[in-house]
Amino acid sequence: MKGNSTINVLNSVVRDSSLTINDFALSLYLKYCIFRSGDRYSFEVSGPDLKRHMNIQDNKTLKASLQNLYALNYIIEPVSKLEPNKPFLISLNKEKFDIENRKEGEFFAQLPINVMFGIKDGKLTRQEARLLYYIKSYINATDSRKQFCFTRIDKKMSTELNMGKNTIPKYTQMLVDKKLISINKHNLGTSYQYDEDGKLIFTKYNNHYFLNYENIKKL
């Protein structure tokens, strides 16, 4: 499945602040399951398989994400019980997962399927995977001049990702170290213009986040 295959996620899902990093990792794998089941939105899954692809160890964490996805209307029917080695039926809300019938003006983030496998194989943390999709959701694919994300950490990013403003730089730096993204940092600067009170005007532009697609494909 690796190579040119992608998993496409609606931007509204990527930026849903109600989703924890575990919830997002689970939703990413469920999106893959839709494809694997032949574009069906009800199919059987197993707890061990879900945990393996989320890279988690315990049923409690998995069940919490299943319950939260149900509460947020990603999953239609609640999952009441997880039994060892026994698959269970899961039914998904098509509006949350289907990019073909998305609302007018709704866009989606497309990244290689390797991001999902990166979580499973321990090459990516769940935080890093979410950040890759988040950065992609703000890149304008139709404008060659805007192939970067430039949202502010302390304003939009922290709110939409439900991550602390000090946590985001930690994981973006990890992505830089893995050569999966690059960042053009912009410090406070001035054009030496003055306001009405005679004070020097300073301007700080947001950092620019670029995705290194070739390296993401190699995960």
Side-chain angles (χ1 to χ4, degrees), residues 124-137:
L124 285 176
T125 67
R126 294 179 292 280
Q127 292 92 337
E128 290 174 302
R130 179 101 182 253
L131 277 164
L132 286 175
Y133 267 94
Y134 184 82
I135 292 169
K136 177 60 176 174
S137 78

Side-chain angles (χ1 to χ4, degrees), residues 26-41:
L26 176 56
S27 71
L28 196 63
Y29 179 62
L30 292 175
K31 182 64 188 283
Y32 166 67
C33 289
I34 294 170
F35 165 76
R36 193 176 64 176
S37 68
D39 290 332
R40 289 186 293 128
Y41 288 82

